[in-house]
Amino acid sequence: MTDHRSAPDPYPTGRVPEDELGRVPEWLRQPAPEVAPGRADRLRIALGGHSGKLLGGVLVLVLLAFFGLVGGLGYQGFQRWRGPAAEHPTVSLPVGEQASSSASPPPAAGPFDGTPAAGFPEGAAGIALPRAKRTGPFTDKQVADTLTRVRKALVTARLDRTFFTAKDPERLVRQFAPDARADLRDDFPTGEAGTYATRLAPGARLTADQPRVKGRVSYRATKDSQGIRLLEVTTNFVWAYAFPTASTEPGDGVVVVHDTVVWSVAHPDDVDRSSAGLWIDKADSYASNIDCAAFDKGLLALGKPSFGGPADPDPEAVFDPDKTVDLPDTC
């Protein structure tokens, strides 16, 4: 840090010897009283009292040249900065089409930023299958085939944009056992299919962003009430969808669906061929930030943000697959 305090006088008892600074010009000894020294002269005199022979002369010449070239403009600017700001005149804008230069806008923020879904995998990458191994009467190949069927059905039901807006649900229904299909078709007009499948409401659309997915898959061998041997697969996933919104608040354009679905495949030796294949035994779900009227019909659309009310779910909890799906209804 520069110290601006005065240095002690090295010659306290007298003036500086002439042999240190050189002979002092006569005009400095006896300045003409009728001509007051100018700003540059005063600066030169001040420098002359604190410099050596060569350095003093060079600095005086450099500073005199500098102030001679820019002193007028620079000094006026300095005085302007010190004084009160004056209004600067403007020009009239020309008539017609115009374009102005501007800085590049910052990268657009993602719709999931500021929510737990920002850290979720994108799309089908979030559906990880456990290792297939022999379980009860089911071989490792039968287990692997069943897990693959369940994953394919999940991708269609919750991630396939063509299915979301298709006129009929056959893209998903045909993946199930023939005997299971009639009941599944009935689920769509009643809205029951919303517990395991995503369908967009008329006019609703998603952004180009991949849905974010987090959850898990487990399986076990069991039997139903009739003694039929089953390979039961339980899926528990949170699906986060991004809808266009003018809001800049984090999560305002995000609809979250959390579902738990129990899928099953009967042992081929225990059922007719028409019943062999994939079934849904149970499905539960909730959704947040939704259009309630559409959701009652099993359709998905962005609603008004409803977090924060006394009966509303914890905003963090709705993104957590480990939390219960049994949450208060905010519709």
Side-chain angles (χ1 to χ4, degrees):
M1 179 180 293
T2 303
D3 190 346
H4 296 284
R5 294 171 296 181
S6 300
D9 189 351
Y11 305 101
T13 59
R15 63 180 179 83
V16 180
E18 288 186 0
D19 58 357
E20 287 293 325
L21 297 177
R23 181 175 299 278
V24 178
E26 187 63 20
W27 59 268
L28 281 180
R29 295 176 179 273
Q30 298 177 353
E34 67 277 7
V35 180
R39 181 171 180 272
D41 295 329
R42 291 196 301 272
L43 179 59
R44 184 178 58 199
I45 295 170
L47 289 173
H50 297 282
S51 305
K53 295 178 180 178
L54 179 60
L55 181 60
V58 172
L59 286 176
V60 168
L61 290 176
V62 170
L63 288 170
L64 282 174
F66 173 79
F67 281 107
L69 289 173
V70 302
L73 178 59
Y75 183 71
Q76 290 172 11
F78 176 75
Q79 291 292 87
R80 201 161 50 238
W81 298 332
R82 292 185 59 185
E87 183 176 354
H88 196 82
T90 60
V91 297
S92 299
L93 295 178
V95 177
E97 296 296 326
Q98 304 171 38
S100 300
S101 60
S102 62
S104 299
F112 301 106
D113 290 355
T115 75
F120 293 1
E122 295 184 354
I127 307 174
L129 296 178
R131 183 172 65 90
K133 62 180 182 179
R134 184 179 183 88
T135 304
F138 296 91
T139 66
D140 54 356
K141 183 179 185 306
Q142 288 173 323
V143 172
D145 288 346
T146 298
L147 291 173
T148 299
R149 289 182 183 183
V150 169
R151 189 178 191 275
K152 181 181 178 182
L154 282 171
V155 170
T156 301
R158 293 300 192 189
L159 298 175
D160 187 341
R161 296 184 183 227
T162 301
F163 170 75
F164 293 170
T165 56
K167 292 183 178 179
D168 61 60
E170 292 305 306
R171 196 177 182 90
L172 174 65
V173 169
R174 63 174 176 246
Q175 299 181 36
F176 289 81
D179 289 346
R181 296 174 186 174
D183 288 341
L184 290 173
R185 292 188 184 102
D186 290 341
D187 285 345
F188 286 88
T190 63
E192 289 297 320
T195 57
Y196 58 83
T198 297
R199 305 277 277 175
L200 294 182
R205 63 185 180 89
L206 299 174
T207 68
D209 303 272
Q210 283 268 38
R212 300 300 177 91
V213 183
K214 183 179 181 181
R216 60 180 171 273
V217 179
S218 60
Y219 65 88
R220 65 170 184 160
T222 186
K223 293 181 179 180
D224 70 3
S225 59
Q226 299 177 358
I228 296 174
R229 294 171 294 176
L230 303 173
L231 182 62
E232 184 180 273
V233 180
T234 301
T235 61
N236 175 15
F237 282 96
V238 170
W239 316 87
Y241 302 95
F243 287 78
T245 178
S247 174
T248 59
E249 290 298 317
D252 274 4
V254 177
V255 166
V256 178
V257 178
H258 181 186
D259 63 22
T260 57
V261 183
V262 179
W263 318 71
S264 67
V265 170
H267 196 282
D269 295 340
D270 294 356
V271 294
D272 295 335
R273 187 171 183 178
S274 60
S275 292
L278 194 61
W279 291 71
I280 289 180
D281 292 340
K282 183 181 179 182
D284 293 301
S285 71
Y286 71 76
S288 65
N289 207 20
I290 53 170
D291 181 314
C292 294
F295 195 69
D296 287 342
K297 300 175 183 178
L299 305 174
L300 214 59
L302 181 66
K304 295 181 179 180
S306 60
F307 297 142
D312 291 349
D314 176 359
E316 297 291 322
V318 299
F319 290 91
D320 189 349
D322 290 331
K323 300 296 184 181
T324 178
V325 297
D326 186 18
L327 292 175
D329 185 356
T330 60
C331 286

